[in-house]
Amino acid sequence: MTEQQPPRKLRIGVLALQGAFTEHINLLNRLTDDIEAVIQIKTPQQLESSNLDALILPGGESTTMALIAERNGLMEPLRGWVRAGKPVWGTCAGLILLSNTAHRTKQLGQPLIGGLSVSVKRNAFGTQLNSFVSDLSIPSLGPEPFPAVFIRAPIIETLDDPSVEVLARVTNSDAGGEGENIVAVRQGSLLATAFHPELTADDRFHRYYLEMVREVRGNLGEGVNTSSS
Ligand SMILES: NC(=O)CC[C@H](N)C(=O)O
C-alpha cells in the first residue's frame, strides 16, 4: 500500500511593525489544516531565521511602516526577499509598499519596498470617513461575491507590466463615485489587495494566498509539497 503524505504545513510571517497585523494573525491561526506557524516579523534576524514560506505586509500607514522598517534595518532585507521571488501579499498599506510607484497629492517619493509593477494612488477614496464595504466579484475565489473592506484605501492606477494579472475591480458607485478601479492584482510571487480581507470572517482570500504560496515555492524548487505518489 502506498502512503500519501499530506503536504508540509506552511510558516507564514506577518510584518508586525504597525497597523492591522493582529487581524491577519488571528485569521491565519484559524487555518490550522494548512499552517504550522504564524510569526511576527519585526527585525531582519526574524525574517532570515524563521524559515518562512511566505510573508504578509498588513494595512496601516505606509509612511510610518516604511519609517520603522528603515529604522529596524528591514527595508533592504525585504527588498531582497521580493527579488528572490519569495511570496509576499500586501494588503492596503502593504500594497502601497510593494508597488514600484506611489502617488498622492501631498507626498511624493516615500520609501517603498517595490517589486510589483504597478503605480498606486494613495487614499484614493478620501479619508477614514469614506471607508466602505463592497461586494466584489473575484472569479479566482469562486462565484460568491467577496465582502471587501476599504479603509483609506489606495487604487491601482496603472499596470506597468503585462505579467500583472487583475483579480478584482471595484465599482466606484459603492464609494459614491463613478467608473471602476483595479483593487487586487497578482504578479508572479506577489499578491496585492487595496482592501482588508483580514477584517472579514470570509477566509477565501487567505486560502487563495496559501495555495499561491505552495505553487510559488514549488516553482522555486523548495519542495513545500512533499506528497509522494
Ligand atoms: N488601511 C490602510 O492600510 C490605509 C493605507 C494608508 N492610507 C496609506 O496611505 O498608507
Side-chain angles (χ1 to χ4, degrees):
M1 231 171 81
T2 51
E3 263 189 42
Q4 192 81 22
Q5 275 190 321
R8 179 169 75 72
K9 291 190 181 186
L10 300 170
R11 298 173 63 81
I12 309 291
V14 181
L15 189 70
L17 301 176
Q18 188 266 337
F21 56 88
T22 311
E23 290 79 355
H24 272 293
I25 292 169
N26 290 343
L27 201 156
L28 291 166
N29 276 332
R30 295 207 303 269
L31 307 181
T32 46
D33 287 352
D34 263 331
I35 293 186
E36 177 186 284
V38 184
I39 297 142
Q40 297 194 19
I41 301 299
K42 297 175 195 281
T43 66
Q45 294 73 24
Q46 289 166 337
L47 182 66
E48 274 154 37
S49 66
S50 302
N51 199 15
L52 300 178
D53 293 298
L55 195 60
I56 292 180
L57 311 176
E61 185 55 47
S62 56
T63 45
T64 310
M65 231 183 278
L67 199 73
I68 304 173
E70 282 198 323
R71 208 178 285 157
N72 290 10
L74 250 176
M75 278 310 251
E76 267 315 311
L78 288 169
R79 291 184 182 118
W81 174 280
V82 170
R83 273 198 304 271
K86 296 180 184 178
V88 187
W89 175 16
T91 56
C92 203
L95 151 66
I96 296 166
L97 291 174
L98 266 188
S99 65
N100 281 341
T101 319
H103 301 292
R104 190 177 71 154
T105 36
K106 276 188 210 142
Q107 187 172 0
L108 288 172
Q110 70 178 94
L112 301 171
I113 296 166
L116 183 67
S117 306
V118 300
S119 73
V120 296
K121 181 180 178 192
R122 296 179 59 202
N123 303 324
F125 301 100
T127 66
Q128 191 94 14
L129 292 175
N130 304 106
S131 300
F132 62 101
V133 182
S134 179
D135 285 329
L136 302 184
S137 156
I138 307 183
S140 311
L141 302 186
E144 284 292 306
F146 186 86
V149 179
F150 290 84
I151 304 168
R152 290 187 307 118
I155 53 166
I156 296 162
E157 282 194 306
T158 63
L159 305 178
D160 302 328
D161 191 278
S163 62
V164 183
E165 180 194 348
V166 174
L167 300 180
R169 291 183 162 83
V170 68
T171 304
N172 290 340
S173 53
D174 286 355
E178 287 174 2
E180 53 176 28
N181 280 298
I182 298 168
V183 287
V185 294
R186 178 179 170 186
Q187 182 184 21
S189 54
L190 305 179
L191 178 66
T193 52
F195 48 92
H196 287 263
E198 78 284 8
L199 297 183
T200 57
D202 192 328
D203 60 19
R204 281 179 296 157
F205 225 108
H206 285 75
R207 289 189 183 280
Y208 172 84
Y209 182 53
L210 298 181
E211 261 176 49
M212 174 187 139
V213 170
R214 289 188 187 281
E215 176 203 315
V216 172
R217 301 305 305 217
N219 291 342
L220 285 175
E222 299 191 18
V224 163
N225 194 327
T226 56
S227 61
S228 56
S229 53

